[in-house]
Amino acid sequence: MSEKKVISNSDLLMIANQIIQDHEQYVEGIRATSVEEKEGVLVFKGDYFLDENGLPTPTTTTVFNLFKLLAHQLSPEFTVEKER
């Protein structure tokens, strides 16, 4: 098994947001704004496009699916650089 590349949060978010924008399900405004690593899995966060009552919208499902895709695609390759 190859070793994961250590990467800064900002560089990882740039890669993640490019993947999001290039994806066929991309909706204008979807963007990962933060990432953290939990037990080797990268967890991406951002606006989930909830309605005025705080309930999910069709875009919420798209955001969830894209963030899940990022976790599956990028977790095996990268580990977040530890903050000093």
Side-chain angles (χ1 to χ4, degrees):
M1 183 172 134
S2 65
E3 188 125 343
K4 290 184 179 186
K5 297 176 201 148
V6 177
I7 190 169
S8 70
N9 276 9
S10 59
D11 287 346
L12 184 55
L13 286 170
M14 284 189 346
I15 292 168
N17 284 311
Q18 188 62 57
I19 291 170
I20 289 171
Q21 288 179 4
D22 292 344
H23 197 275
E24 63 186 21
Q25 290 185 338
Y26 174 71
V27 174
E28 185 69 33
I30 295 178
R31 174 173 179 70
T33 57
S34 67
V35 60
E36 60 184 87
E37 192 168 358
K38 293 186 178 182
E39 297 182 20
V41 176
L42 298 171
V43 179
F44 293 88
K45 296 181 182 177
D47 185 357
Y48 282 90
F49 295 87
L50 302 176
D51 71 11
E52 61 277 352
N53 296 315
L55 298 173
T57 66
T59 305
T60 306
T61 302
T62 302
V63 171
F64 176 81
N65 289 336
L66 288 172
F67 287 179
K68 182 178 170 184
L69 169 83
L70 293 175
H72 282 281
Q73 187 172 339
L74 298 175
S75 293
E77 188 175 348
F78 295 105
T79 187
V80 176
E81 183 176 69
K82 303 290 186 233
E83 293 183 19
R84 297 176 202 188

